[in-house]
Amino acid sequence: MLQFVREIPIRIHCQAPSERRGFLFHLSVGFSKDIDPDTGMSVNLVEVDAWLKDLQNVFQDKVLELRNEEHLAARLTYDCRDFLRRYTVPAGVLITFVRLSEERSGVFIWDQNVREGFFSQECSYFLEFFEEGKFVDLLQMHFKWLSPLSCQEDLFSEGLKLLKDVRAVSQTDLAETLTPFKGFLHEKGSILESISLEYRSLGYRLEL
């Protein structure tokens, strides 16, 4: 089984009920296909890139109409997945994930482990650690939420609310402090599915 990822930028022009917006997403798509034992080949990457180019052209040439209580990135992850399936299904290629990254609004993901009608959102936060007045490390905290497609909440801000007292916690006690947040259920149905801590200068990542 050969697995690979291709990435393209994609400009999205959308019309919501109350405003018109423009976004630049970085679209990453994971693909998988068995290797042919006779030829040793799996899939033609030039052909895959042509699929993504078609997607880019189609989505950039239209204005995406959003309904009330519809999340742009969630809608787009499913639309991109379904568009590419027109090519991948006949070719026997499996789409393993669709990931959209937008600098101002976070990272949004559909993958094989997310049930239909839901999507994942990733939010990152940075914390500087000092000990005895000396800068020790820059810590990046990753919160991954599982959300219904109707999610309209600013989950980055919701994460900040959970982290409001973390700066007062020592580095040693941080993991113990954050662990109870895992599984937190927001009143609108989003679940804080996972938390990880990435120590940037030390080069390791801790999954809680």
Side-chain angles (χ1 to χ4, degrees):
M1 181 75 73
L2 177 67
Q3 300 186 43
F4 58 96
V5 179
R6 307 302 272 181
E7 181 175 319
I8 58 169
I10 180 171
R11 297 188 307 272
I12 297 298
H13 183 184
C14 74
Q15 177 66 59
S18 60
E19 63 178 345
R20 179 167 288 196
R21 298 289 308 277
F23 295 86
L24 176 62
F25 287 99
H26 297 281
L27 170 66
S28 301
V29 184
F31 299 95
S32 178
K33 186 180 180 184
D34 289 332
I35 296 175
D36 187 322
D38 295 326
T39 65
M41 301 292 290
S42 175
V43 63
N44 187 334
L45 294 182
V46 174
E47 185 177 5
V48 173
D49 288 341
W51 301 343
L52 292 173
K53 186 62 178 178
D54 286 348
L55 181 150
Q56 188 181 53
N57 291 337
V58 168
F59 280 72
Q60 291 186 162
D61 285 345
K62 67 180 181 179
V63 177
L64 185 64
E65 298 283 344
L66 289 180
R67 297 180 291 271
N68 284 323
E69 298 187 354
E70 187 171 40
H71 194 289
L72 168 62
R75 157 85 177 274
L76 196 56
T77 56
Y78 276 83
D79 284 357
C80 290
R81 181 201 67 177
D82 294 342
F83 181 91
L84 289 172
R85 278 180 173 174
R86 303 175 193 176
Y87 300 99
T88 61
V89 171
V93 178
L94 179 67
I95 299 174
T96 57
F97 70 84
V98 175
R99 177 187 178 99
L100 286 166
S101 176
E102 209 276 337
E103 283 82 356
R104 300 170 298 178
S105 56
V107 179
F108 309 88
I109 306 164
W110 169 87
D111 64 34
Q112 295 172 294
N113 299 316
V114 176
R115 70 178 186 267
E116 202 73 12
F118 285 77
F119 70 110
S120 297
Q121 299 188 54
E122 290 184 357
C123 303
S124 293
Y125 309 88
F126 289 89
L127 184 63
E128 301 165 5
F129 272 120
F130 291 87
E131 289 183 357
E132 298 179 355
K134 181 180 179 181
F135 176 56
V136 176
D137 204 354
L138 181 65
L139 172 68
Q140 184 175 7
M141 295 172 283
H142 303 274
F143 280 19
K144 185 176 181 180
W145 297 83
L146 178 65
S147 305
L149 290 182
S150 59
C151 173
Q152 294 292 311
E153 290 69 48
D154 181 355
L155 293 178
F156 181 84
S157 296
E158 294 299 323
L160 286 177
K161 293 176 184 177
L162 295 176
L163 293 170
K164 65 183 187 305
D165 297 324
V166 164
R167 288 188 179 277
V169 177
S170 69
Q171 184 170 359
T172 305
D173 298 331
L174 182 62
E176 183 178 348
T177 302
L178 291 178
T179 297
F181 296 157
K182 184 177 178 180
F184 173 80
L185 176 62
H186 188 270
E187 59 183 6
K188 296 297 181 62
S190 294
I191 300 172
L192 182 50
E193 191 174 38
S194 67
I195 301 172
S196 64
L197 309 178
E198 185 175 350
Y199 294 84
R200 302 305 297 266
S201 68
L202 298 176
Y204 73 90
R205 182 170 174 144
L206 176 64
E207 297 286 342
L208 302 184

